[in-house]
Amino acid sequence: MAGRTGARVLALPPETVLERPVATLHDIGATLEPDAVWVLGRSREPTAAARARHAIDAPVIHPPLETGGDALSRRPIGDDGLAFAVARSASALRAGDGIRSASDQNEDEREVDALICDDIATTTRPTALETTLDHAAELAAALPTGRTTTVLTGGLPAGYDERWHVAAETGTVRTVEHDPLRSSDSVADDCVAVRVRGAGPVDGYGGPNAVVELEFTADGLVSSTAHAASDFGLEAISGIGPKTAGRLAECGVTTRSELLETPVAALADIEGIGPKSARRMHQHATVLETGEPRRVGNASLPGENWSTPPLCIDIETDGLSPTIIWQIGVYDPSTDTYRAFVERDDPADRASVLQAFCDWLLGVHPNRALLTWNGWGFDYRHLGAFVARHCPAYAAEWESIPKFDLYLWADGDDNALLPGRTNELDVVAAELGYDGAATGLDGARTAAAYQRFMRTGDGSELEWDRHEAYCEDDCRALWHVYERLRDAPQVSAGSSASGAASSSSTAEQASGEQTGLGDF
């Protein structure tokens, strides 16, 4: 955690803490390195809180167990000492003295960066076609007027982000901003603005056993990443699910190191495993423990045998459902050069960046293939749609360009074992020794910065060089992973069918056919 700014808070449902082995909780803490652990829940779960304290080396927050004379306790979190207020319940908000505004504070007490209260949620009434904010009156009584306060709750899923304007005197909701980043920052003097951010489990990421990672910066920005609990511990190994992990635990195997100490033959004798799965478990556990990737079978990397390597590309947008592609970065491994196409002047201009990129690509490199990480899940999909809409003269040429997706080749087609606990590019590249530019940015932060530019029309505060460096870093990281996989030793695929399927899929990628990989 050295050198990290802001704060990282890990939100864990009690079910995750109680149902996962202690070894898995250790791995969650070691992998994500939180500054604090927040055990969610409206009811008291002392066993879950105690188990989290035992397993993870970070302060643990469980609001129902917060003690002390104040209904609202304050917690400094992270090296920057970001100030969090914790409410035991919604009733504690009304019973307490409230969260003072900056002008009312002592000089040695900073403004609260966020309030944690798991009682905060929304209620939708389908017959009335309306959604209400639970405990709006309590929030109005506790929070300062005339400004926005971020409220974190496990009562809503990670990714929920809406700003509610509530009358200070009555608690009546006046307006709701469904996209706070694109809305005005102004708050009426007689209003409390509550920016509600969800931290609860997300469908598709482990259900009730999700692990949600919240990142805070000193300017108040918060982003969230949901992981499945199965991304950690023994279940991170290919072929091991909850049932197999339970059978292994019955045999005294609860960690990856213990699995590697168990002979393959002994693993194969365990019910439901068998020789092929046992070998694969050993191979993947070795990759996770050593950080060294392995290629599976004999399939060539995308474009590996071509005379000129593919161009590595990455795009930046204003969100996961973009209205603009405002940056396209391209790294050419053959010359070790990078080029960026960026819209700095007019965020309403959707065509200029695409036009300049297509002019350059088709005019200078008409015969080069492209390489992305999860391109069929995001980059290629949106580039194709935007080119067709805003640069239709190039649509046919764009479709004919060979396009490779290294993530799909490695993970989707099962051609490689990767060392990252997750298969996000920055995680895999870091595990493979890539020394990044340390821009402090991620996709959510770059999107949020451009959203502010779109909202205000003022790009003077947007650190353009920093955002270009972030995009370049992703392109260079992609090629670093490619080279490491190219040089990685091979292990047996276990069947010839795997290699044949992989070769077929690689050909589909090169022809530009979408393979159906979902969003990543």
Side-chain angles (χ1 to χ4, degrees), residues 234 237 240 244 247-249 251-256 258-283 285:
L234 279 180
I237 298 172
I240 299 182
T244 302
R247 296 190 189 104
L248 289 168
C251 299
V253 178
T254 60
T255 66
R256 287 187 293 274
E258 291 172 346
L259 184 141
L260 288 173
E261 292 169 358
T262 305
V264 171
L267 289 175
D269 288 338
I270 297 174
E271 179 187 356
I273 294 183
K276 180 179 176 181
S277 294
R279 286 194 300 272
R280 184 56 173 257
M281 290 175 189
H282 252 246
Q283 291 165 355

PDB file of all heavy atoms in Angstrom, residues 234 237 240 244 247-249 251-256 258-283 285:
ATOM      1  N   LEU A 234      -8.879 -21.150  -2.777  1.00  0.00           N
ATOM      2  CA  LEU A 234      -8.815 -22.333  -3.636  1.00  0.00           C
ATOM      3  C   LEU A 234      -9.733 -22.205  -4.847  1.00  0.00           C
ATOM      4  O   LEU A 234      -9.431 -22.718  -5.924  1.00  0.00           O
ATOM      5  CB  LEU A 234      -9.207 -23.586  -2.836  1.00  0.00           C
ATOM      6  CG  LEU A 234      -8.131 -24.225  -1.951  1.00  0.00           C
ATOM      7  CD1 LEU A 234      -8.697 -25.433  -1.239  1.00  0.00           C
ATOM      8  CD2 LEU A 234      -6.903 -24.617  -2.771  1.00  0.00           C
ATOM      9  N   ILE A 237      -8.675 -21.277  -8.414  1.00  0.00           N
ATOM     10  CA  ILE A 237      -8.011 -22.262  -9.265  1.00  0.00           C
ATOM     11  C   ILE A 237      -9.019 -22.873 -10.211  1.00  0.00           C
ATOM     12  O   ILE A 237     -10.134 -23.242  -9.818  1.00  0.00           O
ATOM     13  CB  ILE A 237      -7.352 -23.356  -8.400  1.00  0.00           C
ATOM     14  CG1 ILE A 237      -6.279 -22.743  -7.498  1.00  0.00           C
ATOM     15  CG2 ILE A 237      -6.758 -24.452  -9.268  1.00  0.00           C
ATOM     16  CD1 ILE A 237      -5.713 -23.704  -6.484  1.00  0.00           C
ATOM     17  N   ILE A 240     -12.031 -25.701  -9.514  1.00  0.00           N
ATOM     18  CA  ILE A 240     -12.413 -25.832  -8.106  1.00  0.00           C
ATOM     19  C   ILE A 240     -13.579 -24.904  -7.807  1.00  0.00           C
ATOM     20  O   ILE A 240     -13.448 -23.678  -7.877  1.00  0.00           O
ATOM     21  CB  ILE A 240     -11.241 -25.525  -7.157  1.00  0.00           C
ATOM     22  CG1 ILE A 240     -10.094 -26.505  -7.407  1.00  0.00           C
ATOM     23  CG2 ILE A 240     -11.689 -25.595  -5.701  1.00  0.00           C
ATOM     24  CD1 ILE A 240      -8.903 -26.307  -6.481  1.00  0.00           C
ATOM     25  N   THR A 244     -16.023 -28.851  -4.581  1.00  0.00           N
ATOM     26  CA  THR A 244     -14.674 -29.428  -4.634  1.00  0.00           C
ATOM     27  C   THR A 244     -13.806 -28.846  -3.531  1.00  0.00           C
ATOM     28  O   THR A 244     -13.000 -29.566  -2.917  1.00  0.00           O
ATOM     29  CB  THR A 244     -14.035 -29.165  -6.007  1.00  0.00           C
ATOM     30  OG1 THR A 244     -14.865 -29.728  -7.021  1.00  0.00           O
ATOM     31  CG2 THR A 244     -12.657 -29.777  -6.096  1.00  0.00           C
ATOM     32  N   ARG A 247     -14.571 -30.723  -0.449  1.00  0.00           N
ATOM     33  CA  ARG A 247     -13.946 -32.055  -0.418  1.00  0.00           C
ATOM     34  C   ARG A 247     -12.448 -31.944  -0.138  1.00  0.00           C
ATOM     35  O   ARG A 247     -11.879 -32.768   0.583  1.00  0.00           O
ATOM     36  CB  ARG A 247     -14.179 -32.773  -1.746  1.00  0.00           C
ATOM     37  CG  ARG A 247     -15.645 -33.082  -2.047  1.00  0.00           C
ATOM     38  CD  ARG A 247     -15.769 -34.011  -3.245  1.00  0.00           C
ATOM     39  NE  ARG A 247     -17.154 -34.161  -3.674  1.00  0.00           N
ATOM     40  CZ  ARG A 247     -17.674 -33.580  -4.738  1.00  0.00           C
ATOM     41  NH1 ARG A 247     -16.889 -32.835  -5.513  1.00  0.00           N
ATOM     42  NH2 ARG A 247     -18.930 -33.756  -5.064  1.00  0.00           N
ATOM     43  N   LEU A 248     -11.794 -30.933  -0.738  1.00  0.00           N
ATOM     44  CA  LEU A 248     -10.370 -30.743  -0.473  1.00  0.00           C
ATOM     45  C   LEU A 248     -10.129 -30.402   0.987  1.00  0.00           C
ATOM     46  O   LEU A 248      -9.164 -30.892   1.603  1.00  0.00           O
ATOM     47  CB  LEU A 248      -9.820 -29.631  -1.374  1.00  0.00           C
ATOM     48  CG  LEU A 248      -9.700 -29.976  -2.860  1.00  0.00           C
ATOM     49  CD1 LEU A 248      -9.441 -28.723  -3.685  1.00  0.00           C
ATOM     50  CD2 LEU A 248      -8.574 -30.994  -3.084  1.00  0.00           C
ATOM     51  N   ALA A 249     -10.995 -29.567   1.562  1.00  0.00           N
ATOM     52  CA  ALA A 249     -10.836 -29.201   2.979  1.00  0.00           C
ATOM     53  C   ALA A 249     -10.960 -30.429   3.878  1.00  0.00           C
ATOM     54  O   ALA A 249     -10.248 -30.544   4.892  1.00  0.00           O
ATOM     55  CB  ALA A 249     -11.879 -28.146   3.364  1.00  0.00           C
ATOM     56  N   CYS A 251      -9.889 -33.197   3.217  1.00  0.00           N
ATOM     57  CA  CYS A 251      -8.607 -33.904   3.111  1.00  0.00           C
ATOM     58  C   CYS A 251      -7.444 -33.051   3.627  1.00  0.00           C
ATOM     59  O   CYS A 251      -6.280 -33.391   3.398  1.00  0.00           O
ATOM     60  CB  CYS A 251      -8.353 -34.303   1.659  1.00  0.00           C
ATOM     61  SG  CYS A 251      -9.596 -35.429   0.971  1.00  0.00           S
ATOM     62  N   GLY A 252      -7.767 -31.933   4.276  1.00  0.00           N
ATOM     63  CA  GLY A 252      -6.729 -31.081   4.847  1.00  0.00           C
ATOM     64  C   GLY A 252      -6.108 -30.093   3.882  1.00  0.00           C
ATOM     65  O   GLY A 252      -5.064 -29.512   4.187  1.00  0.00           O
ATOM     66  N   VAL A 253      -6.735 -29.870   2.725  1.00  0.00           N
ATOM     67  CA  VAL A 253      -6.205 -28.936   1.736  1.00  0.00           C
ATOM     68  C   VAL A 253      -7.091 -27.699   1.723  1.00  0.00           C
ATOM     69  O   VAL A 253      -8.235 -27.745   1.247  1.00  0.00           O
ATOM     70  CB  VAL A 253      -6.160 -29.576   0.330  1.00  0.00           C
ATOM     71  CG1 VAL A 253      -5.659 -28.570  -0.704  1.00  0.00           C
ATOM     72  CG2 VAL A 253      -5.284 -30.816   0.336  1.00  0.00           C
ATOM     73  N   THR A 254      -6.594 -26.576   2.243  1.00  0.00           N
ATOM     74  CA  THR A 254      -7.387 -25.346   2.307  1.00  0.00           C
ATOM     75  C   THR A 254      -6.702 -24.165   1.620  1.00  0.00           C
ATOM     76  O   THR A 254      -7.317 -23.119   1.453  1.00  0.00           O
ATOM     77  CB  THR A 254      -7.674 -24.954   3.769  1.00  0.00           C
ATOM     78  OG1 THR A 254      -6.436 -24.743   4.460  1.00  0.00           O
ATOM     79  CG2 THR A 254      -8.470 -26.042   4.470  1.00  0.00           C
ATOM     80  N   THR A 255      -5.432 -24.325   1.245  1.00  0.00           N
ATOM     81  CA  THR A 255      -4.707 -23.236   0.583  1.00  0.00           C
ATOM     82  C   THR A 255      -4.052 -23.759  -0.690  1.00  0.00           C
ATOM     83  O   THR A 255      -3.918 -24.974  -0.889  1.00  0.00           O
ATOM     84  CB  THR A 255      -3.616 -22.653   1.497  1.00  0.00           C
ATOM     85  OG1 THR A 255      -2.607 -23.645   1.713  1.00  0.00           O
ATOM     86  CG2 THR A 255      -4.193 -22.209   2.833  1.00  0.00           C
ATOM     87  N   ARG A 256      -3.622 -22.833  -1.525  1.00  0.00           N
ATOM     88  CA  ARG A 256      -2.957 -23.239  -2.766  1.00  0.00           C
ATOM     89  C   ARG A 256      -1.628 -23.930  -2.483  1.00  0.00           C
ATOM     90  O   ARG A 256      -1.241 -24.873  -3.172  1.00  0.00           O
ATOM     91  CB  ARG A 256      -2.753 -22.025  -3.668  1.00  0.00           C
ATOM     92  CG  ARG A 256      -4.051 -21.532  -4.295  1.00  0.00           C
ATOM     93  CD  ARG A 256      -3.791 -20.444  -5.310  1.00  0.00           C
ATOM     94  NE  ARG A 256      -3.291 -19.232  -4.694  1.00  0.00           N
ATOM     95  CZ  ARG A 256      -4.078 -18.283  -4.195  1.00  0.00           C
ATOM     96  NH1 ARG A 256      -5.389 -18.417  -4.229  1.00  0.00           N
ATOM     97  NH2 ARG A 256      -3.571 -17.193  -3.663  1.00  0.00           N
ATOM     98  N   GLU A 258      -0.917 -25.774   0.090  1.00  0.00           N
ATOM     99  CA  GLU A 258      -1.221 -27.135   0.528  1.00  0.00           C
ATOM    100  C   GLU A 258      -1.631 -28.003  -0.662  1.00  0.00           C
ATOM    101  O   GLU A 258      -1.301 -29.193  -0.706  1.00  0.00           O
ATOM    102  CB  GLU A 258      -2.337 -27.113   1.576  1.00  0.00           C
ATOM    103  CG  GLU A 258      -1.899 -26.506   2.909  1.00  0.00           C
ATOM    104  CD  GLU A 258      -3.046 -26.301   3.875  1.00  0.00           C
ATOM    105  OE1 GLU A 258      -4.223 -26.375   3.452  1.00  0.00           O
ATOM    106  OE2 GLU A 258      -2.767 -26.054   5.059  1.00  0.00           O
ATOM    107  N   LEU A 259      -2.327 -27.415  -1.625  1.00  0.00           N
ATOM    108  CA  LEU A 259      -2.704 -28.186  -2.800  1.00  0.00           C
ATOM    109  C   LEU A 259      -1.461 -28.603  -3.582  1.00  0.00           C
ATOM    110  O   LEU A 259      -1.360 -29.742  -4.053  1.00  0.00           O
ATOM    111  CB  LEU A 259      -3.647 -27.371  -3.683  1.00  0.00           C
ATOM    112  CG  LEU A 259      -4.212 -28.096  -4.909  1.00  0.00           C
ATOM    113  CD1 LEU A 259      -5.664 -27.720  -5.145  1.00  0.00           C
ATOM    114  CD2 LEU A 259      -3.400 -27.757  -6.170  1.00  0.00           C
ATOM    115  N   LEU A 260      -0.493 -27.687  -3.716  1.00  0.00           N
ATOM    116  CA  LEU A 260       0.722 -28.008  -4.458  1.00  0.00           C
ATOM    117  C   LEU A 260       1.561 -29.053  -3.736  1.00  0.00           C
ATOM    118  O   LEU A 260       2.325 -29.779  -4.374  1.00  0.00           O
ATOM    119  CB  LEU A 260       1.537 -26.736  -4.690  1.00  0.00           C
ATOM    120  CG  LEU A 260       0.946 -25.765  -5.716  1.00  0.00           C
ATOM    121  CD1 LEU A 260       1.736 -24.470  -5.742  1.00  0.00           C
ATOM    122  CD2 LEU A 260       0.925 -26.400  -7.099  1.00  0.00           C
ATOM    123  N   GLU A 261       1.431 -29.112  -2.429  1.00  0.00           N
ATOM    124  CA  GLU A 261       2.172 -30.121  -1.661  1.00  0.00           C
ATOM    125  C   GLU A 261       1.513 -31.491  -1.754  1.00  0.00           C
ATOM    126  O   GLU A 261       2.106 -32.500  -1.347  1.00  0.00           O
ATOM    127  CB  GLU A 261       2.260 -29.687  -0.191  1.00  0.00           C
ATOM    128  CG  GLU A 261       3.140 -28.463   0.023  1.00  0.00           C
ATOM    129  CD  GLU A 261       3.003 -27.893   1.421  1.00  0.00           C
ATOM    130  OE1 GLU A 261       2.190 -28.449   2.211  1.00  0.00           O
ATOM    131  OE2 GLU A 261       3.674 -26.892   1.730  1.00  0.00           O
ATOM    132  N   THR A 262       0.287 -31.531  -2.269  1.00  0.00           N
ATOM    133  CA  THR A 262      -0.439 -32.801  -2.407  1.00  0.00           C
ATOM    134  C   THR A 262      -0.152 -33.400  -3.779  1.00  0.00           C
ATOM    135  O   THR A 262      -0.343 -32.742  -4.802  1.00  0.00           O
ATOM    136  CB  THR A 262      -1.954 -32.576  -2.262  1.00  0.00           C
ATOM    137  OG1 THR A 262      -2.214 -31.910  -1.027  1.00  0.00           O
ATOM    138  CG2 THR A 262      -2.709 -33.897  -2.305  1.00  0.00           C
ATOM    139  N   PRO A 263       0.324 -34.618  -3.871  1.00  0.00           N
ATOM    140  CA  PRO A 263       0.627 -35.230  -5.167  1.00  0.00           C
ATOM    141  C   PRO A 263      -0.603 -35.263  -6.068  1.00  0.00           C
ATOM    142  O   PRO A 263      -1.740 -35.381  -5.603  1.00  0.00           O
ATOM    143  CB  PRO A 263       1.081 -36.648  -4.802  1.00  0.00           C
ATOM    144  CG  PRO A 263       1.534 -36.543  -3.376  1.00  0.00           C
ATOM    145  CD  PRO A 263       0.665 -35.512  -2.744  1.00  0.00           C
ATOM    146  N   VAL A 264      -0.354 -35.149  -7.372  1.00  0.00           N
ATOM    147  CA  VAL A 264      -1.445 -35.176  -8.342  1.00  0.00           C
ATOM    148  C   VAL A 264      -2.252 -36.459  -8.207  1.00  0.00           C
ATOM    149  O   VAL A 264      -3.487 -36.451  -8.286  1.00  0.00           O
ATOM    150  CB  VAL A 264      -0.887 -35.032  -9.775  1.00  0.00           C
ATOM    151  CG1 VAL A 264      -1.990 -35.285 -10.809  1.00  0.00           C
ATOM    152  CG2 VAL A 264      -0.289 -33.646  -9.975  1.00  0.00           C
ATOM    153  N   ALA A 265      -1.572 -37.568  -7.990  1.00  0.00           N
ATOM    154  CA  ALA A 265      -2.270 -38.850  -7.868  1.00  0.00           C
ATOM    155  C   ALA A 265      -3.228 -38.839  -6.684  1.00  0.00           C
ATOM    156  O   ALA A 265      -4.341 -39.381  -6.767  1.00  0.00           O
ATOM    157  CB  ALA A 265      -1.263 -39.982  -7.725  1.00  0.00           C
ATOM    158  N   ALA A 266      -2.804 -38.218  -5.559  1.00  0.00           N
ATOM    159  CA  ALA A 266      -3.679 -38.151  -4.389  1.00  0.00           C
ATOM    160  C   ALA A 266      -4.888 -37.255  -4.658  1.00  0.00           C
ATOM    161  O   ALA A 266      -6.010 -37.561  -4.233  1.00  0.00           O
ATOM    162  CB  ALA A 266      -2.899 -37.637  -3.184  1.00  0.00           C
ATOM    163  N   LEU A 267      -4.671 -36.152  -5.375  1.00  0.00           N
ATOM    164  CA  LEU A 267      -5.801 -35.286  -5.724  1.00  0.00           C
ATOM    165  C   LEU A 267      -6.773 -36.021  -6.636  1.00  0.00           C
ATOM    166  O   LEU A 267      -7.993 -35.893  -6.503  1.00  0.00           O
ATOM    167  CB  LEU A 267      -5.296 -34.021  -6.434  1.00  0.00           C
ATOM    168  CG  LEU A 267      -4.548 -32.991  -5.599  1.00  0.00           C
ATOM    169  CD1 LEU A 267      -4.031 -31.875  -6.499  1.00  0.00           C
ATOM    170  CD2 LEU A 267      -5.453 -32.415  -4.519  1.00  0.00           C
ATOM    171  N   ALA A 268      -6.222 -36.788  -7.587  1.00  0.00           N
ATOM    172  CA  ALA A 268      -7.069 -37.494  -8.551  1.00  0.00           C
ATOM    173  C   ALA A 268      -7.970 -38.518  -7.875  1.00  0.00           C
ATOM    174  O   ALA A 268      -9.043 -38.839  -8.403  1.00  0.00           O
ATOM    175  CB  ALA A 268      -6.203 -38.170  -9.610  1.00  0.00           C
ATOM    176  N   ASP A 269      -7.566 -39.016  -6.725  1.00  0.00           N
ATOM    177  CA  ASP A 269      -8.361 -40.019  -6.012  1.00  0.00           C
ATOM    178  C   ASP A 269      -9.533 -39.413  -5.245  1.00  0.00           C
ATOM    179  O   ASP A 269     -10.409 -40.143  -4.775  1.00  0.00           O
ATOM    180  CB  ASP A 269      -7.479 -40.803  -5.036  1.00  0.00           C
ATOM    181  CG  ASP A 269      -6.536 -41.761  -5.755  1.00  0.00           C
ATOM    182  OD1 ASP A 269      -6.840 -42.113  -6.913  1.00  0.00           O
ATOM    183  OD2 ASP A 269      -5.511 -42.131  -5.154  1.00  0.00           O
ATOM    184  N   ILE A 270      -9.541 -38.082  -5.100  1.00  0.00           N
ATOM    185  CA  ILE A 270     -10.633 -37.437  -4.369  1.00  0.00           C
ATOM    186  C   ILE A 270     -11.880 -37.441  -5.247  1.00  0.00           C
ATOM    187  O   ILE A 270     -11.818 -37.176  -6.456  1.00  0.00           O
ATOM    188  CB  ILE A 270     -10.254 -35.992  -3.973  1.00  0.00           C
ATOM    189  CG1 ILE A 270      -9.053 -36.011  -3.016  1.00  0.00           C
ATOM    190  CG2 ILE A 270     -11.428 -35.260  -3.331  1.00  0.00           C
ATOM    191  CD1 ILE A 270      -8.521 -34.645  -2.675  1.00  0.00           C
ATOM    192  N   GLU A 271     -13.012 -37.734  -4.646  1.00  0.00           N
ATOM    193  CA  GLU A 271     -14.273 -37.844  -5.390  1.00  0.00           C
ATOM    194  C   GLU A 271     -14.534 -36.590  -6.229  1.00  0.00           C
ATOM    195  O   GLU A 271     -14.435 -35.468  -5.757  1.00  0.00           O
ATOM    196  CB  GLU A 271     -15.433 -38.045  -4.406  1.00  0.00           C
ATOM    197  CG  GLU A 271     -16.790 -38.153  -5.075  1.00  0.00           C
ATOM    198  CD  GLU A 271     -17.933 -38.188  -4.074  1.00  0.00           C
ATOM    199  OE1 GLU A 271     -17.651 -38.208  -2.855  1.00  0.00           O
ATOM    200  OE2 GLU A 271     -19.095 -38.188  -4.516  1.00  0.00           O
ATOM    201  N   GLY A 272     -14.849 -36.813  -7.505  1.00  0.00           N
ATOM    202  CA  GLY A 272     -15.230 -35.723  -8.376  1.00  0.00           C
ATOM    203  C   GLY A 272     -14.085 -34.997  -9.048  1.00  0.00           C
ATOM    204  O   GLY A 272     -14.321 -34.018  -9.778  1.00  0.00           O
ATOM    205  N   ILE A 273     -12.836 -35.449  -8.843  1.00  0.00           N
ATOM    206  CA  ILE A 273     -11.705 -34.733  -9.444  1.00  0.00           C
ATOM    207  C   ILE A 273     -11.142 -35.502 -10.639  1.00  0.00           C
ATOM    208  O   ILE A 273     -11.358 -35.121 -11.779  1.00  0.00           O
ATOM    209  CB  ILE A 273     -10.614 -34.441  -8.392  1.00  0.00           C
ATOM    210  CG1 ILE A 273     -11.163 -33.461  -7.337  1.00  0.00           C
ATOM    211  CG2 ILE A 273      -9.368 -33.849  -9.061  1.00  0.00           C
ATOM    212  CD1 ILE A 273     -10.166 -33.037  -6.280  1.00  0.00           C
ATOM    213  N   GLY A 274     -10.444 -36.574 -10.427  1.00  0.00           N
ATOM    214  CA  GLY A 274      -9.886 -37.336 -11.535  1.00  0.00           C
ATOM    215  C   GLY A 274      -8.533 -36.800 -11.984  1.00  0.00           C
ATOM    216  O   GLY A 274      -8.132 -35.690 -11.645  1.00  0.00           O
ATOM    217  N   PRO A 275      -7.793 -37.611 -12.788  1.00  0.00           N
ATOM    218  CA  PRO A 275      -6.413 -37.253 -13.174  1.00  0.00           C
ATOM    219  C   PRO A 275      -6.313 -35.957 -13.969  1.00  0.00           C
ATOM    220  O   PRO A 275      -5.445 -35.124 -13.713  1.00  0.00           O
ATOM    221  CB  PRO A 275      -5.965 -38.464 -14.016  1.00  0.00           C
ATOM    222  CG  PRO A 275      -6.853 -39.580 -13.592  1.00  0.00           C
ATOM    223  CD  PRO A 275      -8.165 -38.963 -13.256  1.00  0.00           C
ATOM    224  N   LYS A 276      -7.181 -35.756 -14.974  1.00  0.00           N
ATOM    225  CA  LYS A 276      -7.075 -34.575 -15.820  1.00  0.00           C
ATOM    226  C   LYS A 276      -7.290 -33.293 -15.007  1.00  0.00           C
ATOM    227  O   LYS A 276      -6.518 -32.330 -15.104  1.00  0.00           O
ATOM    228  CB  LYS A 276      -8.091 -34.650 -16.960  1.00  0.00           C
ATOM    229  CG  LYS A 276      -8.047 -33.461 -17.904  1.00  0.00           C
ATOM    230  CD  LYS A 276      -9.073 -33.610 -19.018  1.00  0.00           C
ATOM    231  CE  LYS A 276      -9.105 -32.373 -19.910  1.00  0.00           C
ATOM    232  NZ  LYS A 276     -10.125 -32.509 -20.986  1.00  0.00           N
ATOM    233  N   SER A 277      -8.333 -33.271 -14.192  1.00  0.00           N
ATOM    234  CA  SER A 277      -8.616 -32.092 -13.374  1.00  0.00           C
ATOM    235  C   SER A 277      -7.519 -31.867 -12.338  1.00  0.00           C
ATOM    236  O   SER A 277      -7.165 -30.725 -12.035  1.00  0.00           O
ATOM    237  CB  SER A 277      -9.964 -32.247 -12.668  1.00  0.00           C
ATOM    238  OG  SER A 277     -11.020 -32.248 -13.612  1.00  0.00           O
ATOM    239  N   ALA A 278      -6.981 -32.943 -11.796  1.00  0.00           N
ATOM    240  CA  ALA A 278      -5.918 -32.813 -10.793  1.00  0.00           C
ATOM    241  C   ALA A 278      -4.684 -32.152 -11.401  1.00  0.00           C
ATOM    242  O   ALA A 278      -4.066 -31.278 -10.787  1.00  0.00           O
ATOM    243  CB  ALA A 278      -5.561 -34.185 -10.218  1.00  0.00           C
ATOM    244  N   ARG A 279      -4.317 -32.570 -12.620  1.00  0.00           N
ATOM    245  CA  ARG A 279      -3.165 -31.948 -13.286  1.00  0.00           C
ATOM    246  C   ARG A 279      -3.433 -30.456 -13.530  1.00  0.00           C
ATOM    247  O   ARG A 279      -2.559 -29.613 -13.323  1.00  0.00           O
ATOM    248  CB  ARG A 279      -2.866 -32.662 -14.604  1.00  0.00           C
ATOM    249  CG  ARG A 279      -2.220 -34.026 -14.458  1.00  0.00           C
ATOM    250  CD  ARG A 279      -1.641 -34.497 -15.794  1.00  0.00           C
ATOM    251  NE  ARG A 279      -2.671 -34.592 -16.820  1.00  0.00           N
ATOM    252  CZ  ARG A 279      -3.418 -35.681 -17.034  1.00  0.00           C
ATOM    253  NH1 ARG A 279      -3.231 -36.762 -16.301  1.00  0.00           N
ATOM    254  NH2 ARG A 279      -4.327 -35.692 -18.005  1.00  0.00           N
ATOM    255  N   ARG A 280      -4.658 -30.151 -14.001  1.00  0.00           N
ATOM    256  CA  ARG A 280      -4.989 -28.751 -14.288  1.00  0.00           C
ATOM    257  C   ARG A 280      -4.962 -27.903 -13.010  1.00  0.00           C
ATOM    258  O   ARG A 280      -4.494 -26.755 -13.028  1.00  0.00           O
ATOM    259  CB  ARG A 280      -6.367 -28.682 -14.947  1.00  0.00           C
ATOM    260  CG  ARG A 280      -6.790 -27.278 -15.383  1.00  0.00           C
ATOM    261  CD  ARG A 280      -5.760 -26.651 -16.323  1.00  0.00           C
ATOM    262  NE  ARG A 280      -6.235 -25.392 -16.863  1.00  0.00           N
ATOM    263  CZ  ARG A 280      -6.715 -25.222 -18.084  1.00  0.00           C
ATOM    264  NH1 ARG A 280      -6.768 -26.268 -18.900  1.00  0.00           N
ATOM    265  NH2 ARG A 280      -7.121 -24.058 -18.502  1.00  0.00           N
ATOM    266  N   MET A 281      -5.448 -28.449 -11.922  1.00  0.00           N
ATOM    267  CA  MET A 281      -5.409 -27.725 -10.648  1.00  0.00           C
ATOM    268  C   MET A 281      -3.977 -27.411 -10.245  1.00  0.00           C
ATOM    269  O   MET A 281      -3.655 -26.284  -9.834  1.00  0.00           O
ATOM    270  CB  MET A 281      -6.094 -28.541  -9.551  1.00  0.00           C
ATOM    271  CG  MET A 281      -7.588 -28.655  -9.684  1.00  0.00           C
ATOM    272  SD  MET A 281      -8.265 -29.766  -8.415  1.00  0.00           S
ATOM    273  CE  MET A 281      -9.955 -29.918  -8.992  1.00  0.00           C
ATOM    274  N   HIS A 282      -3.109 -28.392 -10.363  1.00  0.00           N
ATOM    275  CA  HIS A 282      -1.700 -28.182 -10.017  1.00  0.00           C
ATOM    276  C   HIS A 282      -1.082 -27.112 -10.909  1.00  0.00           C
ATOM    277  O   HIS A 282      -0.344 -26.248 -10.439  1.00  0.00           O
ATOM    278  CB  HIS A 282      -0.937 -29.504 -10.152  1.00  0.00           C
ATOM    279  CG  HIS A 282      -0.548 -30.097  -8.843  1.00  0.00           C
ATOM    280  ND1 HIS A 282       0.752 -30.224  -8.428  1.00  0.00           N
ATOM    281  CD2 HIS A 282      -1.306 -30.580  -7.818  1.00  0.00           C
ATOM    282  CE1 HIS A 282       0.793 -30.775  -7.234  1.00  0.00           C
ATOM    283  NE2 HIS A 282      -0.452 -31.012  -6.837  1.00  0.00           N
ATOM    284  N   GLN A 283      -1.393 -27.187 -12.206  1.00  0.00           N
ATOM    285  CA  GLN A 283      -0.818 -26.219 -13.145  1.00  0.00           C
ATOM    286  C   GLN A 283      -1.265 -24.796 -12.810  1.00  0.00           C
ATOM    287  O   GLN A 283      -0.453 -23.869 -12.762  1.00  0.00           O
ATOM    288  CB  GLN A 283      -1.226 -26.589 -14.575  1.00  0.00           C
ATOM    289  CG  GLN A 283      -0.593 -27.860 -15.095  1.00  0.00           C
ATOM    290  CD  GLN A 283      -1.284 -28.382 -16.347  1.00  0.00           C
ATOM    291  OE1 GLN A 283      -2.296 -27.845 -16.793  1.00  0.00           O
ATOM    292  NE2 GLN A 283      -0.750 -29.463 -16.907  1.00  0.00           N
ATOM    293  N   ALA A 285      -2.577 -23.644  -9.962  1.00  0.00           N
ATOM    294  CA  ALA A 285      -2.080 -23.235  -8.640  1.00  0.00           C
ATOM    295  C   ALA A 285      -0.626 -22.793  -8.728  1.00  0.00           C
ATOM    296  O   ALA A 285      -0.209 -21.830  -8.071  1.00  0.00           O
ATOM    297  CB  ALA A 285      -2.230 -24.382  -7.645  1.00  0.00           C
TER     298      ALA A 285
END
